[in-house]
Amino acid sequence: MQELPELDIYRALLAEQFAGVRITGIEVKNSKTFQVSPERLEHDVAGKAVWFVERRGKQLLFHLDNGKRLMLHMAQGAYLYKGSDVDQPKRPAQLIIRFSDQALYCIGLRADDMQLLSVKEVEEKLGRLGPDPFEKWLTVDRFIDRFAKKRGTLKAALIDQNIISGIGSVYADEICFDAEVRPDAKIPVLERETWERLYVSTHKVLKEAISKGGAGEQPFAEDDSLTGGYLAHFKVYNREGQSCPRCGATIVRMDVSTRKAYVCLSCQKDQ
């Protein structure tokens, strides 16, 4: 899983390690993962420095000093590893970005998961994304307004990247639990008090997940002891049949808008 907390942790680690560092080489082990030719990579990427690393929704953007952007999408099962020729990940990488004696291994990438884009092309692809949950202008009233025209289930709306970006199926369940509302609740019947709880819970859950290392299952580097620290703090996700930490009832799994969801039917309500 790669949702906002996991990608924000990657953003911070990548910025710490590689901001201002020059790319000395790039190796594409599977041509389907990258949409450009080796010749263009050599011209537009090799020898260029990474100015900074940005997260937009579920994408990471490497800003290069020639104005180009490397946009990385990480599907389920994909992960990054910072190593070297003698310190490599256990699984083969589809893409390796080299920074002198260090290397960034990209594992589990699928077709076109890495793209070389201009600023205009980035906006064409990501311009319709909803605001990040941490945008300062996203007040509780504006948060509620984002969902005003939706008629489906709460979970389907929370993971809709055009409404709010960065939240996926896992953290949607955790946010709903923290706000004491069911993920299959219908949006039109939710009261303002519930929306206010959801707004607070969204910030609370995502910030806690980031601070505790997220739920990534693979370390970023050999000495990484932070990644995955939040796995032990999930309240409902993947805890079917276990006791609710709030009321003691049994957590169940249900299908919500073609997605699985984990919920306590005792203390999470439908309004």
Side-chain angles (χ1 to χ4, degrees):
M1 57 164 290
Q2 301 292 352
E3 298 183 22
L4 187 154
E6 290 72 40
L7 289 171
D8 210 64
I9 291 167
Y10 273 142
R11 177 201 57 76
L13 290 170
L14 291 168
E16 178 183 339
Q17 295 292 325
F18 300 122
V21 181
R22 196 164 300 280
I23 296 172
T24 55
I26 183 164
E27 300 174 23
V28 181
K29 301 295 185 179
N30 184 337
S31 59
K32 292 182 179 180
T33 64
F34 221 135
Q35 99 287 20
V36 298
S37 67
E39 293 77 18
R40 190 176 172 197
L41 286 179
E42 184 66 28
H43 181 271
D44 287 344
V45 179
K48 307 303 184 291
V50 176
W51 271 2
F52 65 97
V53 183
E54 176 190 14
R55 177 188 58 76
R56 287 186 63 177
K58 295 182 180 181
Q59 283 72 225
L60 292 173
L61 290 167
F62 296 77
H63 291 240
L64 305 183
D65 63 358
N66 62 350
K68 298 292 185 180
R69 308 285 189 264
L70 287 175
M71 186 174 77
L72 175 61
H73 172 262
M74 299 183 66
Q76 185 174 2
Y79 66 97
L80 302 177
Y81 187 83
K82 186 207 76 169
S84 64
D85 287 337
V86 296
D87 174 22
Q88 298 186 16
K90 296 179 181 179
R91 289 173 54 192
Q94 287 72 51
L95 178 70
I96 304 172
I97 305 175
R98 298 196 176 276
F99 300 85
S100 187
D101 60 341
Q102 293 189 321
L104 179 65
Y105 295 87
C106 306
I107 303 100
L109 299 191
R110 302 174 184 175
D112 291 338
D113 275 352
M114 178 69 90
Q115 299 186 37
L116 176 64
L117 304 171
S118 65
V119 174
K120 180 180 178 181
E121 289 169 331
V122 169
E123 292 308 314
E124 288 173 352
K125 290 180 178 293
L126 303 183
R128 294 186 62 186
L129 281 180
D132 194 90
F134 298 136
E135 290 278 5
K136 292 182 179 180
W137 63 264
L138 191 64
T139 62
V140 63
D141 287 330
R142 288 171 175 163
F143 177 84
I144 295 171
D145 285 344
R146 301 294 302 178
F147 299 88
K149 296 181 180 180
K150 306 301 289 186
R151 292 295 179 267
T153 64
L154 175 59
K155 176 160 185 171
L158 284 173
I159 65 176
D160 185 339
Q161 300 303 293
N162 293 327
I163 299 177
I164 301 289
S165 63
I167 300 172
S169 183
V170 174
Y171 288 102
D173 286 355
E174 292 296 307
I175 290 167
C176 287
F177 176 80
D178 193 78
E180 300 181 36
V181 59
R182 286 173 52 155
D184 61 340
K186 300 298 184 182
I187 287 181
V189 304
L190 294 181
E191 300 173 349
R192 181 179 174 87
E193 182 182 355
T194 303
W195 284 113
E196 291 174 349
R197 294 201 308 272
L198 281 164
Y199 179 79
V200 172
S201 294
T202 297
H203 290 82
K204 174 186 173 183
V205 168
L206 296 177
K207 287 180 179 178
E208 285 183 354
I210 292 170
S211 69
K212 289 181 168 62
E217 297 182 358
Q218 301 293 337
F220 176 72
E222 187 178 25
D223 59 352
D224 178 12
S225 60
L226 175 65
T227 298
Y230 197 67
L231 283 167
H233 296 273
F234 281 133
K235 304 297 192 302
V236 289
Y237 175 72
N238 209 26
R239 298 188 68 240
E240 180 183 11
Q242 299 182 42
S243 298
C244 171
R246 185 162 52 213
C247 72
T250 301
I251 295 168
V252 301
R253 172 180 158 176
M254 61 167 58
D255 291 326
V256 179
S257 303
T258 72
R259 299 241 183 187
K260 65 181 179 182
Y262 298 90
V263 58
C264 174
L265 297 176
S266 175
C267 63
Q268 290 178 250
K269 309 303 180 184
D270 58 6
Q271 292 189 29

